Amino acid sequence: MAEVLVFVDHVDGAVRKPTLELLTLARRVGEPVAVAVGAGAAGTAGVLAGHGAVRVLTAEAPEFGDYLVVPKVDALRAAVEVVSPVAVLVPSSAEGKEVAARLAVRIGSGIITDAVDLEAGEGGVVATQSAFAASFTTRSRVSRGVPVITVKPN
């Protein structure tokens, strides 16, 4: 089965709830591979495996705490090259959206922001997005490269 990268949002090894939600969505379209970076990243492995991650890739370096997003983008790009995923899922926070956008540019791919659901489709991962205060929903798919998708929490 294809693998899906999930960027882990954590604080000193304590995994935040949106990441666990991403792991659940990732299992719908493939096998979740978690990417945890920064101080305490190694401590996330048990929780992530318990929520369905088949592998956990970690990196701990001072750069992750010293700089805003560039080292995180570098780590995700390296993970994309190693894993060759069908999608990359990132929590839809201000930082997450910037990481996702920079990653999409670096790997020459499309990006979908603020998805609320995911499913496997014939042409790749299909994301559902809400628009106009959830009055409308749209279904989107990236047509070039590995989809980079930010997913809203809850």
Side-chain angles (χ1 to χ4, degrees):
M1 187 174 222
E3 294 179 316
V4 178
L5 283 182
V6 174
F7 187 64
V8 177
D9 183 10
H10 72 94
V11 176
D12 296 326
V15 179
R16 293 186 174 174
K17 183 182 170 204
T19 297
L20 305 178
E21 294 169 354
L22 290 181
L23 289 170
T24 299
L25 287 174
R27 286 195 310 268
R28 291 184 186 174
V29 295
E31 295 179 332
V33 175
V35 179
V37 300
T44 64
V47 171
L48 297 170
H51 283 84
V54 296
R55 281 195 294 167
V56 179
L57 307 175
T58 62
E60 293 189 31
E63 295 93 303
F64 296 117
D66 294 343
Y67 301 99
L68 293 175
V69 297
V70 173
K72 295 172 185 175
V73 176
D74 292 341
L76 266 178
R77 181 179 185 180
V80 167
E81 291 173 1
V82 169
V83 174
S84 298
V86 294
V88 178
L89 305 182
V90 180
S92 193
S93 62
E95 180 182 78
K97 287 179 188 178
E98 184 164 352
V99 168
R102 289 176 182 239
L103 176 65
V105 168
R106 286 200 188 173
I107 64 174
S109 181
I111 183 172
I112 296 174
T113 59
D114 295 334
V116 295
D117 196 13
L118 298 175
E119 64 185 68
E122 287 182 27
V125 177
V126 178
T128 302
Q129 297 167 284
S130 294
F132 301 113
S135 298
F136 296 96
T137 57
T138 61
R139 293 169 38 90
S140 307
R141 176 176 69 76
V142 169
S143 59
R144 179 178 174 206
V146 176
V148 179
I149 304 169
T150 69
V151 181
K152 283 184 174 182
N154 300 320

